[in-house]
Amino acid sequence: QVQLLESGGGLVQAGGSLRLSCVASGRTFSRYMMAWFRQTPGKEREFVARISLDGRTTWYVDSIQGRFTISRDNAKNTVYLQMNSLKPEDTAVYYCNAYPQTFGSWGQGTQVTVSS
């Protein structure tokens, strides 16, 4: 069974930056498109960015386009999310998983809080 471990979240002021990491174990990481998702209390988890198997192709939702960058290191079984120009509305718990079909289990996520 795959295990996902997200890290790198924290409290930051608006306009600041964070870099999230997600290490996946238990599967052949390089065989899966990966994605980042986020969730706020009372709302469904939403997709925010994805990256191709080789890392050459990325896609972002409009709300983070130009501010966030997804990348991966297949040798380290790790996917990253560089978050710049953070806004209070980016506050959420961030998760990674496979895309479009998730692994079926989720990690604990990492909390990102952006203060105004």
Side-chain angles (χ1 to χ4, degrees):
Q1 184 175 355
V2 68
Q3 292 185 330
L4 300 166
L5 181 61
E6 300 93 348
S7 63
L11 173 63
V12 63
Q13 289 187 334
S17 299
L18 287 172
R19 189 192 194 205
L20 307 184
S21 299
C22 172
V23 180
S25 60
R27 293 287 179 91
T28 305
F29 179 77
S30 61
R31 294 182 180 177
Y32 297 89
M33 189 182 305
M34 295 297 294
W36 282 94
F37 305 79
R38 65 186 180 187
Q39 187 172 26
T40 55
K43 295 186 177 180
E44 292 188 356
R45 189 174 290 144
E46 66 170 350
F47 161 83
V48 294
R50 69 173 186 257
I51 188 166
S52 61
L53 274 66
D54 62 5
R56 294 182 179 181
T57 304
T58 57
W59 192 93
Y60 305 90
V61 295
D62 288 345
S63 60
I64 67 167
Q65 181 73 43
R67 300 188 297 121
F68 293 10
T69 302
I70 187 172
S71 62
R72 68 190 295 164
D73 185 337
N74 287 341
K76 295 182 179 180
N77 285 4
T78 302
V79 61
Y80 305 96
L81 188 67
Q82 177 66 43
M83 310 165 69
N84 298 328
S85 301
L86 282 160
K87 303 176 180 180
E89 51 263 43
D90 296 319
T91 295
V93 179
Y94 285 73
Y95 303 86
C96 73
N97 215 309
Y99 185 91
Q101 181 68 45
T102 67
F103 289 129
S105 63
W106 294 82
Q108 85 289 348
T110 186
Q111 174 72 50
V112 172
T113 303
V114 184
S115 63
S116 58

